[in-house]
Amino acid sequence: YVGANFFFFSILGSEGEGGNRDRLHKELDYLKSIGVDNLRILVGADGSRGITAKVEPTLQIEPGVYNDTIFRGLDYFLAELAERNMKAVLYINNSWEWSGGYGMYLEWAGAGKALIPAEVGYTTYCESVSRFVTNEKAKEFFYDHVKHVVSRTNTVTGKPYKDDPAIFSWQIGNEPRCFRDDAEGQEAFADFMWKTAALIKSIDPNHMVSSGSE
């Protein structure tokens, strides 16, 4: 396989804001023509709109509340991939603010407003999101999201995601990091990664799971 990172295809595939199916077709045809057949895609962003440097439109607006236009865009994208015998690596979470990520789940869990590194500085941001791995409520929100995503059935093809050959693998997140040096934090991070991987495999035993670490 030859791969490329193209995180916003689910938005391009939608029929709403940001959608452009003609462009999606052209991009896929061009990538296929030069030998690229495996694309790494963000399932969707988390959190509210209007946040600096954040992917929009958002997929998960608040815990368990979804913009189905984006979900259907992902369905359409996967259907178009299948027609071209191409594959997708789908990543579900993010360490960073540009799709909501750890900070958004912490905010939903009542741990304070999600921070932006460009506004508060990299060190302050990292200290803030380091709380994710020991915040049980934040992680539960994410586990619920994983269940919702991985158990989805494609509205275009009628195939459950777990049976979709266009999915190459799942990734737990984009550049998942512990952000901590202490034993408690590192053990909690490892536990989180194993639990998430096991959860994905319990729903979808047919696809590979990787961490998404750089």
Side-chain angles (χ1 to χ4, degrees):
Y1 291 95
V2 178
N5 203 41
F6 209 136
F7 69 88
F8 54 89
F9 257 132
S10 59
I11 296 175
L12 275 187
S14 79
E15 293 183 292
E17 180 186 352
N20 188 334
R21 290 183 172 178
D22 286 341
R23 177 181 167 186
L24 181 145
H25 300 155
K26 291 175 183 177
E27 297 279 13
L28 289 180
D29 289 342
Y30 174 69
L31 289 164
K32 180 70 174 179
S33 75
I34 61 172
V36 175
D37 55 3
N38 192 324
L39 300 173
R40 183 172 179 266
I41 308 297
L42 171 68
V43 168
D46 301 301
S48 54
R49 299 287 304 267
I51 298 173
T52 303
K54 180 166 164 286
V55 173
E56 294 184 352
T58 295
L59 171 64
Q60 186 178 198
I61 301 163
E62 55 187 71
V65 178
Y66 292 92
N67 175 355
D68 198 54
T69 301
I70 302 300
F71 252 144
R72 285 184 276 111
L74 180 60
D75 293 343
Y76 184 85
F77 161 70
L78 289 171
E80 291 296 310
L81 271 190
E83 287 192 7
R84 294 164 174 80
N85 195 28
M86 298 170 76
K87 308 283 185 183
V89 175
L90 300 177
Y91 61 97
I92 307 174
N93 200 355
N94 197 356
S95 290
W96 310 107
E97 82 292 347
W98 55 264
S99 71
Y102 289 173
M104 198 67 250
Y105 284 94
L106 284 165
E107 181 176 318
W108 286 337
K113 187 172 177 59
L115 302 181
I116 299 172
E119 295 177 352
V120 301
Y122 179 75
T123 300
T124 300
Y125 173 81
C126 291
E127 289 174 351
S128 175
V129 294
S130 71
R131 300 172 296 162
F132 175 77
V133 295
T134 52
N135 189 306
E136 295 304 320
K137 189 172 182 180
K139 288 186 289 184
E140 283 301 321
F141 283 142
F142 176 62
Y143 296 143
D144 288 343
H145 180 52
V146 168
K147 293 172 190 174
H148 192 78
V149 171
V150 180
S151 64
R152 182 173 174 83
T153 295
N154 191 308
T155 58
V156 177
T157 65
K159 290 181 180 178
Y161 277 13
K162 70 182 181 67
D163 297 325
D164 194 335
I167 296 176
F168 181 82
S169 67
W170 298 99
Q171 282 189 345
I172 292 169
N174 177 62
E175 302 178 2
R177 298 186 187 180
C178 178
F179 293 108
R180 293 172 61 163
D181 295 325
D182 62 293
E184 179 192 7
Q186 292 187 351
E187 288 171 8
F189 177 70
D191 181 68
F192 162 70
M193 295 294 283
W194 280 114
K195 280 185 176 179
T196 305
L199 175 59
I200 294 170
K201 292 297 282 188
S202 73
I203 302 167
D204 177 359
N206 303 319
H207 292 108
M208 295 182 290
V209 178
S210 62
S211 69
S213 173
E214 75 276 38

